[in-house]
């Protein structure tokens, strides 16, 4: 099974599991599933924004969240955050200063999925997985939003997440 067709939990408007769905079907039909996202933030208030590789199926070469991924069927948000942080940034969350900063519903926002958002505090950029990202930038939320407004390609939900989590407007 490819990553595109991984099995995800299908959830209702209360984020309760009601079945399973393949990732490709969830994308095609915009079905409610779960994701995690995280931002790496330094003491200057800058966020670490990586650029997705050009060969990504969705949002190639776009700026992205520091960590992001779909919660697999039977997996919890925290387990997914642990797995994705290890896969994408090569970091073990047990050794990091992190916290959950938000939880969102696609039924109450314009965001695409149910999501938990985490913040990792770090002064150093991760030694990221080059299969996921091609480069990265430390930007304040305002700097990021200005780049997005000027036409920088960004992953879906990213602008709204920065606005909701860090109170910035473009």
């Amino acid at each position: 099974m490819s990553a595109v067709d991984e099995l995800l939990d299908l959830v209702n408007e209360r984020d309760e599991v009601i079945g399973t769905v393949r990732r490709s079907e969830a994308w095609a039909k915009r079905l409610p599933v779960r994701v995690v996202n995280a931002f790496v933030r330094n003491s200057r208030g800058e966020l670490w924004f990586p650029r997705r590789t050009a060969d990504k199926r969705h949002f190639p070469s776009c700026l992205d969240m520091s960590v992001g991924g779909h919660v697999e069927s039977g997996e919890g948000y925290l387990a997914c955050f642990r797995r994705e942080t290890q896969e994408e940034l090569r970091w073990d969350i047990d050794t990091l200063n992190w916290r959950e900063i938000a939880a969102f519903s696609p039924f109450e926002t314009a965001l695409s999925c149910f999501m938990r958002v985490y913040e990792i505090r770090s002064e150093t950029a991760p030694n990221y997985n080059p299969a996921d990202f091609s480069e990265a930038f430390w930007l304040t939320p305002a700097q990021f939003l200005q780049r997005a407004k000027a036409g920088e390609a960004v992953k879906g939900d990213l602008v709204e997440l920065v606005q909701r989590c860090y109170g910035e407007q473009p």
Side-chain angles (χ1 to χ4, degrees):
M1 175 175 24
S2 74
V4 173
D5 279 330
E6 63 198 335
L7 198 59
L8 308 176
D9 286 331
L10 179 64
V11 295
N12 64 18
E13 65 280 353
R14 293 180 306 280
D15 197 15
E16 299 166 336
V17 177
I18 58 171
T20 57
V21 63
R22 296 270 179 219
R23 180 176 173 178
S24 58
E25 183 180 0
W27 269 85
K29 296 180 179 177
R30 296 195 49 84
L31 298 173
V33 294
R34 297 169 168 166
V35 299
V36 299
N37 289 299
F39 293 102
V40 176
R41 184 177 185 201
N42 65 25
S43 62
R44 294 177 304 284
E46 297 167 322
L47 304 175
W48 185 81
F49 291 98
R51 183 177 309 284
R52 295 166 62 82
T53 58
D55 62 350
K56 290 288 188 181
R57 182 179 184 136
H58 298 286
F59 305 106
S61 302
C62 290
L63 291 184
D64 201 351
M65 296 78 169
S66 304
V67 174
H70 285 82
V71 178
E72 295 177 357
S73 182
E75 184 179 47
Y77 286 106
L78 186 56
C80 180
F81 171 53
R82 178 182 306 283
R83 176 177 54 78
E84 291 290 347
T85 302
Q86 178 61 47
E87 287 176 11
E88 295 180 351
L89 304 187
R90 301 176 175 166
W91 281 352
D92 176 356
I93 66 168
D94 291 335
T95 66
L96 301 172
N97 177 9
W98 64 271
R99 65 189 177 110
E100 183 177 322
I101 60 172
F104 298 113
S105 163
F107 294 95
E108 299 170 1
T109 67
L111 297 168
S112 63
C113 301
F114 278 95
M115 69 178 67
R116 299 285 171 89
V117 184
Y118 302 90
E119 181 181 80
I120 301 167
R121 298 303 298 258
S122 178
E123 299 305 310
T124 58
N127 179 23
Y128 59 83
N129 183 343
D132 289 313
F133 306 126
S134 59
E135 64 181 340
F137 309 91
W138 286 103
L139 302 168
T140 65
Q143 288 169 331
F144 162 76
L145 291 169
Q146 284 299 322
R147 285 177 76 154
K149 185 177 180 182
E152 177 87 35
V154 300
K155 187 174 180 184
D157 289 342
L158 184 54
V159 168
E160 185 170 349
L161 275 182
V162 169
Q163 290 170 334
R164 287 182 174 275
C165 294
Y166 296 99
E168 298 283 342
Q169 297 299 316

